[in-house]
């Protein structure tokens, strides 16, 4: 029998009324076991007032206050002399008491899930004296639960995974719902679980909420995800109970239950023969429905005629089999290859071996295509030798190349000149014979590494390269010489037979058996009385003194020519000069100074006497200079009149001058013409002793000499000119020289020239003076006279 909403509310009200009446009766009947209360004049042996635990139904929706219970004291005779008061949790706000009757009511809707009980204190007072007639008593009002909260999945929605192909009953995940109602009262919080969506694949245990698989052999490759809806219902699932739902997403995880399979039983690829080694020929892939590690495969060539030519590896990202070349392909040698390739899973699950085998085979045929290849040399490196004495055109060796293609096109040879910049070698274009083109020198370059190019006659773009190393054989063509520049010294006090220098030699040649040098003095030096030479027979020689008493004053440097011969065939020799300096040495034979010094002292004079004489001479010179200086200062001071100082003639900048007639300011001819005679000027502060006359004309002297003489002349004049600036002043001269055959064309000298001068000679000076000749000449075609 199902109850409607109205009927359910009426049922709750009747139930609440029944509980209130039973609580009131219990409150009135029950008495407290309090101690006797004594009043003055009499003793009460037994008294009690109602207190106990009251019950109130939660979620009361009525309009009137809900009756909770009644307080009553034995002292209360019903005449209104007793007053009841209430204190504690919710007193006056939630719970009120009638002070006359002791009736308690709830004024608000109560929720057990917010607060399950309230603790209050009750007291009975004498209305007149306001004194307690009973001790204060504590009681509890418990909120009685009703089923007003549905179950909730606090951790939902859920996600879970289970391996595919799992057996029935495999646990997937556990869901839990909570109910806020009182689990100790009735069935309001007793929850049962059921599955609303997800059948028939999954099931749920009603009491625990554990979800399990319900079907066998669920295949991830068919469907990998399921959405379940789980319901939790209270009241043990009975009608009228509240319910809540959650979703569970279940993903099937992969297992290796699918073997790899090639989509095709055979493949064919065309590859050009010019493909470099390690190049990728093809990519093949076996299909595997599994994912992750379950789909990892390895490939290998199990059979075929290309086992040593090709290899197969796996691409870790795509699980493809990559076929690459291990050796160069040659269409002329083999035109095709056949490979049997196997693909197998790396991680096999023993539970699913019955679904295998977990491997597959396919056939790969590789067709080699012909391409036009460049010529190939018979050897990758040719080694040749030639003597450095070889004449131009000497044959060194031959290289050979051929066209590897079936057409076998003729080949032409040339030398890559970037490897033979000096063009030491030539090669015959048809035969490949290499010859010398220039004289060779082993000491300059002992080995020549050249590149020879071979080109097809029919296709010059096809070029092969061969490498030739030409070693130059040595001949004895370099004379020996000193190994270094020796700085040889001999002490003035050297004794006869003393070693002063050990010498060695070097030779740029490189004989097979090593060098052997022979040392001796030249014929003209063999009989000298100063030094001798001793050959040590170990490619070194020793220079020794033949006498003592070397003196720098007599001879500070000796030159000793040494003759060196090598052991070549034919042998070569050279003469090297050893410079020997005479030095002053200390007691240990260490040179102190090697400069030549002249000791020319007067006979009978000691060093101290010479120093005294020099000091006296210097003193006298200083005195003479002081006297001369004082006498010059006592003479006429250097103050000059304006009229006598030519430097005082200052030309104003706004004066345009008087042209050729103005000769008062400066005599320009005196600056520019060296040939003008000058009056000798004397300084006014000294007595003139030497008069310098102006130099004659220097027409026949070169310009550099003229300039030198001109400056020297002005320098002398400034030295004796009393009006000249001090000696450290800057002197400037505007001298143009006398190099022009026309001499000066300046108009400064025109005042003294004849106005009727003949200028016909200008026409003889060349085209540069043609304009002047036309203007001033007197020829028949002249426009001016």
């Amino acid at each position: 029998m199902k109850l409607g909403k109205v009927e359910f509310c009426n049922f709750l009200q009747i139930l609440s009324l029944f509980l209130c009446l039973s609580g009131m009766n219990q409150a009135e009947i029950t008495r407290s076991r309090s101690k006797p209360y004594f009043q003055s004049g009499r003793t009460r042996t037994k008294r009690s007032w109602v207190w106990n635990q009251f019950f109130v139904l939660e979620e009361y929706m009525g309009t009137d206050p809900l009756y909770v219970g009644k307080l009553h004291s034995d002292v209360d005779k019903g005449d209104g002399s007793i007053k009841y008061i209430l204190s504690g949790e919710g007193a006056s706000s939630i719970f009120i008491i009638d002070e006359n009757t002791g009736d308690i009511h709830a004024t608000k809707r109560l929720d057990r899930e917010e607060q399950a009980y309230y603790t209050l204190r009750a007291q009975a007072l004498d209305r007149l004296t306001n004194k307690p007639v009973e001790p204060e008593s504590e009681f509890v009002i418990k909120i009685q639960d009703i089923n007003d909260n549905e179950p909730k999945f606090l951790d939902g929605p859920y996600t879970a995974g289970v391996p595919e192909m799992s057996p029935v009953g495999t646990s997937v995940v556990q869901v839990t719902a909570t109910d806020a109602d009182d689990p100790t009262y009735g069935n309001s919080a007793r929850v049962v679980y059921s599955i609303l969506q997800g059948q028939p694949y999954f099931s749920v245990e009603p009491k625990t909420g554990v979800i399990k698989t319900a079907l066998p052999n669920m295949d991830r490759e068919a469907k990998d995800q399921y959405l379940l809806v789980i319901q939790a219902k209270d009241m043990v699932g009975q009608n009228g109970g509240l319910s809540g739902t959650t979703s569970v997403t279940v993903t099937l995880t992969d297992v290796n239950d699918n073997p790899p399979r090639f989509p095709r039983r055979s493949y064919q690829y065309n590859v050009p023969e010019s493909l470099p080694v390690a190049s990728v020929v093809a990519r093949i892939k076996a299909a595997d429905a599994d994912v992750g590690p379950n789909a990892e495969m390895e490939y290998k060539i199990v059979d075929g005629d290309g086992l040593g030519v090709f290899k197969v590896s796996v691409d870790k990202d795509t699980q493809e089999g990559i076929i690459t070349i291990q050796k160069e392909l040659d269409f002329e040698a083999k035109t095709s290859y056949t490979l049997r390739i196997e693909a197998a899973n790396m991680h096999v699950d023993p539970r699913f071996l019955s679904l295998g085998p977990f491997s597959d085979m396919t056939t790969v045929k590789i067709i080699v295509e012909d391409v036009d290849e460049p010529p190939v040399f018979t050897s990758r490196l040719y080694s040749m030798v030639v003597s450095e004495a070889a004449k131009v055109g000497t044959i060194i060796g031959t290289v050979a190349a051929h066209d590897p293609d079936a057409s076998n096109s003729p080949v032409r040879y040339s030398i890559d000149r970037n490897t033979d910049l000096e063009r030491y070698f030539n090669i015959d274009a048809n035969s490949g014979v290499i010859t010398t083109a220039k004289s060779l020198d082993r000491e300059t370059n002992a080995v020549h590494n050249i590149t020879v190019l071979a080109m097809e006659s029919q296709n010059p773009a096809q070029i092969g390269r061969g490498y030739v190393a030409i070693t130059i054989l040595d001949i004895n063509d370099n004379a020996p010489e000193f190994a270094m520049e020796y700085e040889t010294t001999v002490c003035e006090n050297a004794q006869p037979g003393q070693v002063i220098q050990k010498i060695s030699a070097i030779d740029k040649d490189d004989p097979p058996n090593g060098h052997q040098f022979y040392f001796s003095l030249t014929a003209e030096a063999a009989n000298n009385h100063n030094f001798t030479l001793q050959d040590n027979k170990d490619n070194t020689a020793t220079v020794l003194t033949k006498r003592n008493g070397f003196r720098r004053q007599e001879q500070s440097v000796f030159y000793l020519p040494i003759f060196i011969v090598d052991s070549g065939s034919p042998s070569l020799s050279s003469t090297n000069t050893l410079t020997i300096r005479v030095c002053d040495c200390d007691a240990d034979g260490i040179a102190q100074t090697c400069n030549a010094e002249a000791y020319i002292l007067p006979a009978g004079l000691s060093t101290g006497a010479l120093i005294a004489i020099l000091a006296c001479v210097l003193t006298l010179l200083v005195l003479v200079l002081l006297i001369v200086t004082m006498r010059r200062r006592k003479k006429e001071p250097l103050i000059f009149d304006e009229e006598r100082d030519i430097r005082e003639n200052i030309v104003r900048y706004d004066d345009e001058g008087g042209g050729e007639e103005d000769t008062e300011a400066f005599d320009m001819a005196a600056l520019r013409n060296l040939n003008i005679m000058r009056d000798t000027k004397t300084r006014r502060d000294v007595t003139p002793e030497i008069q310098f006359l102006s130099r004659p004309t220097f027409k026949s002297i070169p310009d550099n000499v003229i300039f030198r003489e001109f400056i020297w002349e002005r320098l002398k004049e400034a030295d004796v000119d009393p009006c000249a600036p001090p000696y450290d002043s800057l002197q400037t001269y505007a001298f143009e020289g006398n190099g022009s055959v026309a001499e000066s064309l300046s108009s400064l000298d025109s005042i003294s020239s004849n106005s009727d001068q003949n200028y016909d000679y200008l026409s003889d000076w060349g085209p540069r003076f043609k304009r002047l000749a036309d203007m001033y000449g007197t020829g028949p075609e002249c426009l001016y006279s």
Side-chain angles (χ1 to χ4, degrees):
M1 176 178 173
K2 295 184 178 179
L3 296 177
K5 192 172 183 180
V6 177
E7 290 82 355
F8 180 69
C9 291
N10 293 333
F11 171 75
L12 291 178
Q13 291 179 1
I14 295 171
L15 181 62
S16 299
L17 181 60
F18 171 77
L19 292 175
C20 289
L21 291 176
S22 62
M24 180 182 66
N25 295 332
Q26 185 179 8
E28 290 176 347
I29 296 171
T30 306
R31 299 178 182 272
S32 65
R33 297 179 180 178
S34 59
K35 296 181 180 180
Y37 185 82
F38 297 95
Q39 291 184 347
S40 59
R42 59 177 179 174
T43 301
R44 293 191 59 202
T45 60
K46 187 177 181 180
R47 61 180 175 15
S48 176
W49 67 294
V50 177
W51 72 274
N52 209 324
Q53 190 174 29
F54 296 109
F55 294 91
V56 179
L57 193 65
E58 68 169 335
E59 303 296 345
Y60 172 69
M61 304 297 292
T63 57
D64 298 329
L66 177 63
Y67 181 78
V68 176
K70 182 180 182 64
L71 296 178
H72 184 73
S73 174
D74 294 341
V75 181
D76 187 3
K77 303 300 182 178
D79 55 0
S81 61
I82 302 302
K83 179 175 64 173
Y84 299 95
I85 61 174
L86 191 66
S87 61
E89 291 181 312
S92 302
S93 59
I94 299 177
F95 303 100
I96 59 174
I97 189 171
D98 188 333
E99 64 178 14
N100 295 319
T101 63
D103 293 333
I104 302 173
H105 291 80
T107 61
K108 295 183 178 180
R109 182 175 62 86
L110 301 177
D111 188 357
R112 189 201 67 85
E113 286 70 41
E114 293 181 2
Q115 188 165 346
Y117 62 92
Y118 296 86
T119 303
L120 294 96
R121 292 180 299 277
Q123 198 168 27
L125 302 178
D126 187 293
R127 188 178 295 275
L128 296 177
T129 62
N130 207 28
K131 292 181 179 182
V133 297
E134 294 282 356
E136 187 179 56
S137 181
E138 187 177 81
F139 65 97
V140 175
I141 299 178
K142 291 191 67 175
I143 310 303
Q144 195 168 13
D145 184 50
I146 64 172
N147 189 19
D148 60 342
N149 291 278
E150 73 277 4
K152 295 182 179 179
F153 292 92
L154 301 180
D155 297 328
Y158 296 86
T159 58
V162 63
E164 63 174 332
M165 310 300 288
S166 295
V168 175
T170 301
S171 178
V172 179
V173 69
Q174 183 178 17
V175 296
T176 303
T178 58
D179 195 319
D181 293 325
D182 189 358
T184 63
Y185 180 77
N187 296 325
S188 299
R190 294 181 63 183
V191 178
V192 292
Y193 301 92
S194 61
I195 182 167
L196 301 182
Q197 178 180 323
Q199 295 174 331
Y201 305 102
F202 299 93
S203 63
V204 63
E205 291 187 355
K207 294 183 179 181
T208 62
V210 175
I211 300 174
K212 298 180 179 181
T213 59
L215 282 181
N217 301 327
M218 284 192 294
D219 191 3
R220 184 198 66 83
E221 288 70 36
K223 185 177 182 181
D224 62 348
Q225 197 171 79
Y226 297 85
L227 180 62
L228 282 64
V229 177
I230 306 299
Q231 181 188 64
K233 190 173 184 180
D234 59 12
M235 298 298 291
V236 201
Q238 297 177 2
N239 292 335
L242 303 179
S243 64
T245 60
T246 187
S247 64
V248 180
T249 302
V250 180
T251 302
L252 296 183
T253 58
D254 186 58
V255 296
N256 192 8
D257 59 339
N258 293 278
R261 292 290 180 263
F262 282 105
R264 297 166 57 183
R265 306 319 301 170
S266 64
Y267 297 86
Q268 179 174 316
Y269 299 95
N270 293 343
V271 179
E273 63 174 336
S274 60
L275 201 64
V277 174
S279 299
V280 176
V281 175
R283 287 175 174 264
I284 59 176
K285 184 177 182 181
D288 192 330
D290 297 321
V291 294
N294 297 318
E296 292 181 357
M297 286 176 283
E298 59 181 356
Y299 297 85
K300 62 181 179 180
I301 301 175
V302 296
D303 194 11
D305 55 1
L307 286 174
V309 181
F310 302 92
K311 73 173 183 178
V312 62
S313 59
V314 64
D315 187 329
K316 298 296 183 181
D317 296 329
T318 63
Q319 296 301 314
E320 291 178 308
I322 304 173
I323 303 174
T324 55
I325 301 175
Q326 283 187 293
K327 294 181 180 180
E328 293 183 353
L329 301 179
D330 188 358
F331 173 80
E332 288 72 26
K334 191 173 180 60
T335 59
S336 65
Y337 297 89
T338 301
L339 306 174
R340 289 279 293 168
I341 297 178
E342 179 188 60
N345 278 140
M346 297 180 63
H347 309 286
V348 178
D349 194 333
R351 297 175 299 171
F352 306 104
L353 289 176
S354 59
L355 302 176
F358 285 84
S359 63
D360 196 18
M361 301 278 291
T362 190
T363 301
V364 178
K365 188 173 183 180
I366 298 175
I367 306 298
V368 181
E369 296 178 343
D370 187 26
V371 296
D372 190 5
E373 299 176 272
V376 178
F377 283 87
T378 57
S379 175
R380 295 186 61 85
L381 177 64
Y382 294 87
S383 296
M384 302 178 184
V385 295
V386 62
S387 173
E388 65 176 327
K391 296 181 179 179
V392 175
T394 301
I395 295 176
I396 302 173
T398 304
V399 297
H402 68 282
D403 183 7
D405 299 317
S407 60
N408 194 16
S409 175
V411 175
R412 294 183 61 82
Y413 303 94
S414 64
I415 294 177
D416 184 356
R417 292 304 177 183
N418 291 324
T419 61
D420 184 27
L421 297 175
E422 300 295 332
R423 295 180 176 268
Y424 284 107
F425 308 99
N426 286 330
I427 189 171
D428 187 277
N430 297 316
S431 64
V433 175
I434 299 176
T435 58
T436 59
K438 295 173 66 175
S439 298
L440 303 176
D441 185 9
R442 188 201 67 84
E443 288 71 36
T444 301
N445 193 352
V447 178
H448 294 266
N449 294 303
I450 64 174
T451 301
V452 178
L453 307 178
M455 295 175 290
E456 292 184 12
S457 299
Q458 297 178 359
N459 185 8
Q462 294 296 332
I463 301 174
R465 286 174 169 78
Y467 303 96
V468 182
I470 303 175
T471 303
I472 310 301
L473 299 179
D474 185 42
I475 63 171
N476 191 26
D477 59 344
N478 289 277
E481 57 186 15
F482 279 160
M484 58 180 293
E485 185 176 351
Y486 295 101
E487 296 181 358
T488 307
T489 61
V490 61
C491 295
E492 290 182 314
N493 57 357
Q495 299 300 318
Q498 183 175 337
V499 176
I500 62 173
Q501 184 67 59
K502 185 175 182 179
I503 61 174
S504 60
I506 58 173
D507 194 328
K508 295 180 180 178
D509 296 320
D510 188 16
N513 299 324
H515 290 288
Q516 180 62 48
F517 301 114
Y518 304 96
F519 301 86
S520 63
L521 295 178
T522 60
E524 61 271 14
N527 297 323
N528 78 89
H529 302 290
N530 301 312
F531 306 98
T532 184
L533 182 70
Q534 176 182 327
D535 193 339
N536 298 327
K537 308 300 182 181
D538 59 353
N539 289 342
T540 64
T542 304
V543 179
L544 303 93
T545 58
K546 293 178 66 176
R547 67 178 180 87
N548 60 358
F550 294 94
R551 292 180 60 80
R552 288 174 291 166
Q553 294 77 18
E554 295 177 359
Q555 185 173 351
S556 61
V557 179
F558 292 90
Y559 299 99
L560 186 66
I562 299 175
F563 188 69
I564 308 175
V565 182
D566 62 17
S567 58
S569 179
S571 62
L572 297 179
S573 62
S574 66
T575 299
N576 299 265
T577 301
L578 182 67
T579 301
I580 305 173
R581 298 185 179 277
V582 181
C583 300
D584 180 23
C585 302
D586 58 11
D588 297 328
I590 300 175
Q592 299 297 315
T593 178
C594 298
N595 296 328
E597 298 178 357
Y599 298 93
I600 305 176
L601 296 176
L605 289 180
S606 63
T607 304
L610 182 61
I611 293 175
I613 293 172
L614 292 176
C616 293
V617 172
L618 290 175
T619 304
L620 290 175
L621 290 176
V622 171
L623 291 175
V624 171
L625 291 175
L626 289 174
I627 292 172
V628 171
T629 302
M630 296 300 294
R631 290 185 62 188
R632 288 186 177 181
R633 288 186 178 181
K634 292 180 180 179
K635 298 206 172 198
E636 180 180 356
L638 296 177
I639 300 176
F640 312 108
D641 296 337
E642 257 184 56
E643 297 177 356
R644 300 174 61 187
D645 191 356
I646 191 172
R647 294 176 302 164
E648 297 295 332
N649 295 337
I650 300 175
V651 179
R652 285 165 36 194
Y653 290 111
D654 59 351
D655 188 3
E656 298 181 356
E660 295 182 357
E661 300 298 330
D662 184 5
T663 60
E664 296 180 359
F666 293 96
D667 188 359
M668 296 300 296
L671 291 176
R672 298 185 177 273
N673 193 353
L674 183 66
N675 302 327
I676 297 177
M677 299 294 293
R678 298 172 180 81
D679 295 336
T680 302
K681 298 180 181 180
T682 58
R683 298 183 68 92
R684 301 179 182 179
D685 56 342
V686 296
T687 303
E689 298 177 358
I690 302 177
Q691 294 183 350
F692 296 93
L693 300 177
S694 60
R695 298 180 64 86
T697 306
F698 300 101
K699 290 186 178 181
S700 62
I701 304 177
D703 282 346
N704 59 341
V705 179
I706 294 174
F707 281 108
R708 190 184 309 113
E709 293 295 337
F710 173 79
I711 294 173
W712 183 246
E713 180 74 16
R714 295 299 183 270
L715 180 62
K716 290 180 179 180
E717 291 180 0
D719 288 343
V720 299
D721 188 1
C723 301
Y727 71 95
D728 57 351
S729 299
L730 181 65
Q731 300 283 334
T732 58
Y733 306 106
F735 179 58
E736 296 179 354
N738 297 323
S740 174
V741 297
E743 297 186 0
S744 177
L745 296 179
S746 173
S747 62
L748 294 177
D749 293 335
S750 62
I751 190 171
S752 59
S753 63
N754 187 4
S755 60
D756 296 332
Q757 184 176 353
N758 186 4
Y759 295 100
D760 291 341
Y761 58 86
L762 292 175
S763 59
D764 298 333
W765 289 359
R768 294 184 179 181
F769 295 91
K770 183 177 183 305
R771 182 65 175 170
L772 291 175
D774 294 341
M775 293 175 61
Y776 295 100
T778 57
E781 297 179 1
C782 183
L783 298 178
Y784 301 93
S785 59

